[in-house]
C-alpha cells in the first residue's frame, strides 16, 4: 500500500554527513520510493547545506521559540526525493559540524536547536504549515529528532511514529531545567516520560512514545536490552520489546560498487579481481608506502573514538609493527587517539600510513586497495564500513557485536564448506584477541586460492537496500495499526 512517509534526520548524504546515519538517510528514502512509497525527507538547513544549494525555494513559514523559520524545498542530490529544510538562521546557519563547535564540544544551544527542529517537524507532520501533505508515518532517527514522537502523542490525532536507534551511546541528555525552559508539555515530564535520573533525555521521546522502535541490526536490538549495551535504558527497552525490532542497513550500491565506482583507479568485480591489485599499487605509491603487491594492506576508515576499538589497536601496535603488513588509517576524532597513532606512524612510516581528516574520495580508494578491513568495535549498532569492505572484496576483521555479528562470518571449516565465510572474528576486546585473529588472517592470506574464495563469498550477496526497505514498509504498517488503537 502506498503510504506517505515523513523521514526526519539530522544528516543525509550527500548534503551533510558526520557518520553512518547520513548514509542511511541518504539512501533508504530512495529505496522506499522505488517500492512505491511517497517519501519526503526533513533536515535542518545547516550552512553547509545552504552553500550547496543553487536555488532556495521557500514553501512554508512558521515560528517557534521567538525564531522565524522557513521551510525550504529542494531535492536530495542524485535522487528524486523531495527534501524540506528547516531554515532558522540563528540555529542552523553557522559554519562547521552540525553538532559540535570548533573546540569539539557540543554547541551550547543544541537542546534549543533540536527542540525547534522537532516543533517544526510536528507542524509538518500535522499538516499545519500549508504544505498540503499529511504523512501516514513519521520516521524519526536518533536523539536529534526523538522529541517528535513525544510531541505528536500530545495531540489527539496524529500520524503513526517509528523511531530508529542508530547509536544508543548518544542520547541527547540535558538538565531538567532545559525541559522547562523549552516550554514542553508538562505531561511529558516524569520517569515514564522524558525524565532520566533527574535529567532531560531527548532519546526517551523516541523510546517511550513512538509506536514502533527499531535499531539497525537484529543483534544490536537484542544487545540494547542488556545492561552492558543499554546505558540504563535497558529496562525501558525490555518493557517495549514487543515493539522493538532490528533491520540491518543496506548500502547505496550506486555509490559503493567496485564495478562502477568512478573514484577508483580501476574497476573490478568478484569474477575479475585483477583491477583490485592495480588500486593497491597506486595507493601504496600515493601514501608513500613501499609498493609491494604481496604485502597485505589492512585498512581502517573511521571516527577515532573508543567505540571503534582504538584502545585494543594501540595496545597491539608494538607487535603489529613487527608483522608482515601495511596498515592504512583514515580518520579523525579524539585528539589523544590521533596523537598516539601519529607517533606510531612517524616511527614506522613504511608500515603505517595515517591520514587525519575526512576524505570521501580516499575512503573509496582505500576500500578498493586494501586486502583486509579492521573493525574491532566494542559495540556496533550496524556498521557500514564492513559492508562496503565486503562488497569491495576487502575481508573484515571484526568483533562479534551488533551488526558486525550479523554480517561478518568467521572463516572456519564449516563456513568454508558452505561458502558463507567472508572474514575473521575478533572474539574479545583485547590486543591479544586482535593479534591472534590477525595472525590467522595473515596465514590465510598466504593461500591465495582460499583468499579468492573468501573474496568471492564476501562479494556475492546482494547488500542493496531492497530487502531492508521491504522490512521498513512492513514496520510502517505495524506502526499504523498500533497508532489506530489509540483512537
Ligand atoms: P559510525 O556511524 O559509527 O561512524 P559507520 O560504520 O556506521 O560508523 O559509518 C561511518 C561512515 O562514515 C562510513 O560511510 C565511513 O566510510 C565514513 N567515514 C568515517 N570516517 C571517515 C573519514 N575520515 N573519511 C571518510 N569517510 C569516513
Amino acid at each position: 500500500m502506498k503510504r506517505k512517509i515523513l523521514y526526519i534526520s539530522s544528516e543525509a548524504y550527500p548534503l551533510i554527513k558526520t557518520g553512518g546515519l547520513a548514509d542511511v538517510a541518504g539512501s533508504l528514502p530512495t529505496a522506499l520510493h522505488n517500492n512505491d512509497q511517497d517519501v519526503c525527507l526533513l533536515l535542518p538547513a545547516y550552512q553547509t547545506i545552504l552553500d550547496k544549494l543553487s536555488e532556495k525555494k521557500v514553501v512554508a513559514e512558521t515560528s517557534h521559540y521567538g525564531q522565524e523559520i522557513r521551510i525550504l524545498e529542494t531535492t536530495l542530490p542524485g535522487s528524486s526525493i523531495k527534501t524540506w529544510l528547516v531554515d532558522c538562521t540563528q540555529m542552523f546557519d553557522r559554519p562547521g559540524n552540525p553538532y559540535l563547535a570548533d573546540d569539539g564540544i557540543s554547541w551550547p544551544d543544541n537542546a534549543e536547536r533540536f527542540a525547534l527542529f522537532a516543533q517544526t517537524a510536528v507542524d509538518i507532520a500535522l499538516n499545519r504549515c500549508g504544505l498540503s501533505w499529511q504523512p501516514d508515518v513519521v520516521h524519526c532517527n536518533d536523539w536529534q529528532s526523538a522529541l517528535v514522537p513525544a510531541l505528536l502523542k500530545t495531540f489527539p490525532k496524529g500520524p503513526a511514529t517509528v523511531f530508529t536507534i542508530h547509536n544508543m551511546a548518544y542520547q541527547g541528555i540535558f538538565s531538567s531545567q532545559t525541559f522547562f525552559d523549552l516550554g514542553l508539555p508538562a505531561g511529558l515530564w516524569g520517569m515514564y516520560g522524558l525524565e532520566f535520573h533527574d535529567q532531560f533525555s531527548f532519546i526517551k521521546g523516541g523510546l517511550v512514545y513512538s509506536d514502533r522502535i527499531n535499531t539497525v541490526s537484529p543483534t544490536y536490538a537484542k544487545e540494547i536490552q542488556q545492561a552492558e549495551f543499554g546505558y540504563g535504558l535497558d529496562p525501558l527497552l525490555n518493557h517495549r520489546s514487543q515493539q522493538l525490532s532490528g533491520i540491518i542497513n543496506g548500502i547505496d550500491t550506486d555509490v559503493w560498487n567496485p564495478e562502477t565506482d568512478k573514484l577508483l583507479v580501476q574497476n573490478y568485480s568478484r569474477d575479475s579481481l585483477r583491477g583490485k591489485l592495480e588500486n593497491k599499487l597506486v595507493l601504496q605509491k600515493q601514501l608513500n608506502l613501499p609498493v609491494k603487491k604481496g604485502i597485505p594492506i589492512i585498512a581502517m576508515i573511521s571516527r577515532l573514538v573508543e567505540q571503534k576499538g582504538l584502545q585494543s589497536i594501540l595496545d597491539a601496535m608494538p607487535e603489529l609493527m613487527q608483522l608482515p603488513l601495511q596498515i592504512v588509517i583514515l580518520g579523525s576524532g579524539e585528539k589523544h587517539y590521533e596523537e598516539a597513532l601519529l607517533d606510531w606512524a612517524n616511527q614506522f612510516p613504511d608500515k603505517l600510513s595515517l591520514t587525519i581528516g575526512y576524505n570521501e574520495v580516499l575512503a573509496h580508494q582505500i576500500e578498493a586497495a586494501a586486502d583486509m578491513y579492521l573493525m574491532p568495535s566494542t559495540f556496533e549498532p550496524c556498521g557500514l564500513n564492513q559492508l562496503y569492505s565486503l562488497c569491495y572484496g576487502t575481508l573484515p576483521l571484526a568483533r562479534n557485536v551488533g551488526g558486525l555479528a550479523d554480517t561478518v562470518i568467521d572463516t572456519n571449516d564449516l563456513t568454508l564448506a558452505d561458502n558463507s565465510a567472508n572474514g575473521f572474528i575478533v572474539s574479545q576486546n583485547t590486543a591479544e584477541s586482535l593479534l591472534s585473529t590477525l595472525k590467522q588472517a595473515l596465514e590465510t592470506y598466504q593461500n591465495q586460492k582460499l583468499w579468492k574464495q573468501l573474496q568471492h563469498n564476501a562479494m556475492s550477496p546482494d547488500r542493496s537496500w531492497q530487502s531492508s526497505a521491504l522490512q521498513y514498509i512492513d514496520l510502517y504498517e505495524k506502526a499504523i495499526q498500533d497508532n489506530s488503537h489509540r483512537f
Side-chain angles (χ1 to χ4, degrees), residues 17-21 23 166-167 170 249 256 301-305 307-308 330-332 355-363 367 373 375 380-386 388:
K17 170 168 165 172
T18 72
L21 170 60
D23 289 358
H166 296 261
N167 195 332
Y170 302 95
N249 286 334
W256 291 98
I301 303 157
S302 182
R303 292 184 294 122
L304 301 176
V305 295
Q307 177 198 339
K308 302 296 177 180
L330 163 64
S332 62
T355 309
I356 299 282
Y358 188 90
N359 185 332
E360 296 216 354
V361 176
L362 187 56
E367 281 291 4
Y373 190 86
M375 208 159 171
E380 196 59 74
C382 176
L384 288 169
N385 268 118
Q386 88 279 14
Y388 302 147

